[in-house]
Amino acid sequence: MKHQLWLTLFAVLSLTIGSCAQKLDQKIAIQVPYLFNADSILVHIKTLSSDAFEGRRTGTSGAEKAKNYIIEKYTHLNVLPFVPDYQQPFSFTARGKTYNGVNVLGLIKGSQHPENYIVISAHYDHEGIKNNQIYNGADDNASGVAALFAVAEYFETHPPEHSVILAAFDAEELGLAGSHHFVANSIVPLQHIKLNINMDMIGRNDNNELYAVGTAFNDTLKTVISNFKNPKELTLLMGHDGKDGLQNWTMSSDHAPFHKKNIPFLYFGVEDHKDYHEPTDDFENMHPEFYIMAVNTIISIFATLDAMHF
């Protein structure tokens, strides 16, 4: 069933995003409509975290199957290939072993500022099979990959103003190798990548809390997140940036290579739970209502930032 969901969001006026702090001149409450199929993205998580994908370990048949699944969904959702056949292969060495990984990169062309890019990312790899147990990685990070599909569906009826790269990175679990390769071998000049929105573990939290990391490094992002009106099903928090006494997530996922190049980022994620990097990170342990609202929140924040010229 197609769900139409509305969130109340404070829009920021007279503000541009940049390396220096900007002053908030005015804010108003508006409603941002968007559409995506909530049932479908839950099915995507269930599928990608099923035993058939064998934990999606980089370089395995399970990872190959996941890669092909993402390409199939991108094609169905009218996402253009950013690179030939959507695939950016790379090789790297980690833990004394050489791996071959593949980033899956899709493109939605911007309607107003096509020369400038926002990268929305999520890693699709996980831990694979260890000690004859499959680590399915439902929250880590089938949840983020399924959210990429929700974003793509949203764009079918709400084309972005900036060009958007939908990046499903490989080998995050092996030292962020996929995102490091993407940034180090950028296909567009890095100065044209204006923002990275990274999603890694957004599918469950006992307290219905979702963190946005990255606001400590950019006052405009801090203003936008501060002015977001939380829905009753979710509390959006800032932190985990090395400045608040909490665990520092600044370099913990695929946003790190962007941050190292001084590209603004927002990383959306939840606190570690008991099934983190355990074979029990299964679809059955997801929190569907929280997850859908988390995706809604991320899309709403993207819509606010995309409306800014930066």
Side-chain angles (χ1 to χ4, degrees):
M1 182 174 75
K2 183 74 72 174
H3 295 255
Q4 182 165 354
L5 303 162
W6 297 74
L7 288 178
T8 301
L9 184 66
F10 284 104
V12 181
L13 300 180
S14 307
L15 188 64
T16 58
I17 189 170
S19 57
C20 9
Q22 304 283 332
K23 195 177 213 180
L24 181 64
D25 298 320
Q26 186 181 5
K27 61 185 178 182
I28 60 174
I30 62 171
Q31 288 186 317
V32 180
Y34 52 91
L35 296 167
F36 66 87
N37 191 313
D39 295 333
S40 288
I41 64 171
L42 293 174
V43 170
H44 293 318
I45 297 175
K46 187 174 183 178
T47 301
L48 285 165
S49 63
S50 67
D51 286 353
F53 287 77
E54 299 179 337
R56 309 185 307 277
R57 183 72 167 179
T58 298
T60 67
S61 60
E64 175 79 8
K65 190 172 183 176
K67 178 201 72 176
N68 292 336
Y69 185 90
I70 296 167
I71 291 172
E72 178 187 350
K73 300 310 171 189
Y74 277 4
T75 302
H76 176 72
L77 291 164
N78 299 311
V79 178
L80 300 172
F82 184 61
V83 288
D85 298 323
Y86 301 91
Q87 300 179 55
Q88 183 187 44
F90 60 96
S91 298
F92 65 101
T93 301
R95 303 171 190 176
K97 179 180 177 180
T98 298
Y99 292 87
N100 295 313
V102 183
N103 293 328
V104 184
L105 307 177
L107 172 68
I108 304 292
K109 291 183 178 178
S111 61
Q112 301 296 320
H113 312 292
E115 74 285 359
N116 290 328
Y117 295 81
I118 297 173
V119 179
I120 304 179
S121 58
H123 74 90
Y124 71 90
D125 65 299
H126 192 54
E127 291 291 312
I129 301 174
K130 298 189 291 187
N131 298 320
N132 296 318
Q133 290 185 295
I134 300 176
Y135 287 62
N136 283 317
D139 193 23
D140 187 15
N141 187 34
S143 66
V145 176
L148 291 177
F149 303 149
V151 171
E153 185 176 346
Y154 165 76
F155 287 154
E156 289 191 294
T157 51
H158 300 80
E161 294 190 12
H162 297 79
S163 291
V164 174
I165 300 169
L166 295 176
F169 288 133
D170 197 359
E172 189 271 350
E173 303 288 4
L174 293 167
L176 319 181
S179 54
H180 276 298
H181 180 83
F182 175 87
V183 171
N185 300 274
S186 184
I187 297 163
V188 299
L190 288 178
Q191 62 266 29
H192 288 282
I193 298 178
K194 301 301 181 177
L195 175 68
N196 170 230
I197 295 176
N198 186 42
M199 303 175 290
D200 190 355
M201 294 177 61
I202 58 172
R204 53 183 288 195
N205 182 265
D206 290 337
N207 298 317
N208 293 329
E209 294 175 344
L210 178 71
Y211 274 91
V213 184
T215 61
F217 309 103
N218 186 287
D219 284 349
T220 301
L221 295 178
K222 184 177 182 179
T223 298
V224 171
I225 299 300
S226 296
N227 288 330
F228 179 76
K229 186 175 181 180
N230 291 307
K232 64 180 181 180
E233 299 88 349
L234 178 146
T235 301
L236 183 65
L237 301 171
M238 295 182 288
H240 285 288
D241 51 21
K243 302 177 185 295
D244 54 10
L246 299 175
Q247 185 182 31
N248 189 351
W249 294 349
T250 304
M251 297 295 178
S252 68
S253 185
D254 287 317
H255 52 279
F258 295 90
H259 178 56
K260 288 179 178 179
K261 293 295 184 179
N262 296 314
I263 297 170
F265 75 92
L266 284 174
Y267 161 46
F268 292 97
V270 298
E271 295 273 8
D272 292 352
H273 44 72
K274 64 182 179 62
D275 300 311
Y276 170 66
H277 279 195
E278 296 292 338
T280 49
D281 185 8
D282 293 322
F283 177 77
E284 290 72 21
N285 293 322
M286 292 282 291
H287 299 167
E289 183 178 359
F290 170 81
Y291 173 66
I292 295 302
M293 192 54 62
V295 178
N296 294 348
T297 295
I298 294 165
I299 291 176
S300 290
I301 290 167
F302 166 85
T304 301
L305 292 167
D306 183 48
M308 300 177 182
H309 179 52
F310 54 90

